[in-house]
Amino acid sequence: MKKNMLIIAGIIAAAILLIVVMVASINNQAISLEEQISGAEAQINVAEKRRIDLVYNLVDSVTEYQEYEGETMLAITEARASAQAGDADGAMTVLNAVSEQYPELKANENYQQLMTELALTENSIAQHRNNYNEQVKAYNKFVRQFPNNIVLSIMGYAPIETQYTDYDAPEDAPTDLFGD
């Protein structure tokens, strides 16, 4: 009888240990997935900051190259104000209009280099946003799977409610940002 009680106690202890290990493993995986989402979001923020910095550099390049043109300065001031307001697309639209009015600006090496960097940055932002969407999908899938959904709902985890954004250009987006 005493031997049977020890066996039963051992089985119960093993079951409890198994449950604790399973819960800890599920929790650790959820934490890891949350951290990946945070990292992906940070990458988007860094790339968007780089885009704003490049717009400022473009504005400075255009300013330096076209100081003598009053109309250009007005347009550049508008672009700087748009960039300061966080409207990089609006700033780029104004800068593109300036570059079309002054074709010699397009030949400026600084201008060309900055436009290339801006194009690379836009691609990088799209990739980072896609990565973010993939991380959120992986997290949501993990949180919804059985038995994870039971364990994690008890621990307060829930799927992230988000719309997976389509990052294609809108129909009314500027089309000739980088000129000829």
Side-chain angles (χ1 to χ4, degrees), residues 95-127:
L95 288 172
N96 187 47
V98 169
S99 72
E100 286 178 4
Q101 287 178 343
Y102 302 96
E104 66 275 7
L105 176 62
K106 293 179 187 179
N108 180 285
E109 188 177 312
N110 289 339
Y111 180 83
Q112 288 179 340
Q113 180 182 2
L114 289 168
M115 291 302 281
T116 300
E117 288 294 321
L118 188 61
L120 293 171
T121 300
E122 290 297 328
N123 289 336
S124 175
I125 290 171
Q127 289 173 349

Side-chain angles (χ1 to χ4, degrees), residues 49-114:
K49 168 80 168 84
R50 183 175 192 273
R51 174 176 55 187
I52 294 296
D53 291 345
L54 284 169
V55 169
Y56 281 129
N57 286 331
L58 272 171
V59 169
D60 290 343
S61 176
V62 171
T63 302
E64 186 176 307
Y65 195 75
Q66 292 290 325
E67 280 183 344
Y68 60 91
E69 293 287 344
E71 290 177 21
T72 304
M73 290 303 294
L74 179 61
I76 290 168
T77 303
E78 290 174 13
R80 184 179 294 271
S82 292
Q84 286 174 339
D87 183 14
D89 292 335
M92 284 307 304
T93 301
V94 172
L95 288 172
N96 187 47
V98 169
S99 72
E100 286 178 4
Q101 287 178 343
Y102 302 96
E104 66 275 7
L105 176 62
K106 293 179 187 179
N108 180 285
E109 188 177 312
N110 289 339
Y111 180 83
Q112 288 179 340
Q113 180 182 2
L114 289 168

Side-chain angles (χ1 to χ4, degrees), residues 9-180:
I11 291 172
I12 291 173
I16 291 173
L17 182 62
L18 181 65
I19 290 171
V20 168
V21 168
M22 181 185 78
V23 168
S25 175
I26 290 171
N27 184 57
N28 289 342
Q29 182 66 27
I31 290 170
S32 175
L33 290 169
E34 284 180 333
E35 289 302 316
Q36 289 174 2
I37 290 169
S38 295
E41 190 172 27
Q43 288 175 336
I44 292 170
N45 293 336
V46 167
E48 287 178 342
K49 168 80 168 84
R50 183 175 192 273
R51 174 176 55 187
I52 294 296
D53 291 345
L54 284 169
V55 169
Y56 281 129
N57 286 331
L58 272 171
V59 169
D60 290 343
S61 176
V62 171
T63 302
E64 186 176 307
Y65 195 75
Q66 292 290 325
E67 280 183 344
Y68 60 91
E69 293 287 344
E71 290 177 21
T72 304
M73 290 303 294
L74 179 61
I76 290 168
T77 303
E78 290 174 13
R80 184 179 294 271
S82 292
Q84 286 174 339
D87 183 14
D89 292 335
M92 284 307 304
T93 301
V94 172
L95 288 172
N96 187 47
V98 169
S99 72
E100 286 178 4
Q101 287 178 343
Y102 302 96
E104 66 275 7
L105 176 62
K106 293 179 187 179
N108 180 285
E109 188 177 312
N110 289 339
Y111 180 83
Q112 288 179 340
Q113 180 182 2
L114 289 168
M115 291 302 281
T116 300
E117 288 294 321
L118 188 61
L120 293 171
T121 300
E122 290 297 328
N123 289 336
S124 175
I125 290 171
Q127 289 173 349
H128 291 312
R129 287 177 175 166
N130 186 53
N131 180 46
Y132 174 81
N133 283 344
E134 292 302 317
Q135 298 300 330
V136 169
K137 286 178 186 177
Y139 171 82
N140 284 344
K141 180 180 175 184
F142 182 78
V143 169
R144 290 181 178 138
Q145 289 177 333
F146 179 83
N148 303 350
N149 59 349
I150 295 170
V151 173
L152 293 175
S153 67
I154 291 170
M155 298 175 80
Y157 288 89
I160 295 173
E161 298 297 327
T162 186
Q163 291 183 4
Y164 300 110
T165 306
D166 180 10
Y167 292 102
D168 291 335
E171 289 179 22
D172 61 343
T175 56
D176 189 24
L177 290 180
F178 304 111
D180 296 330

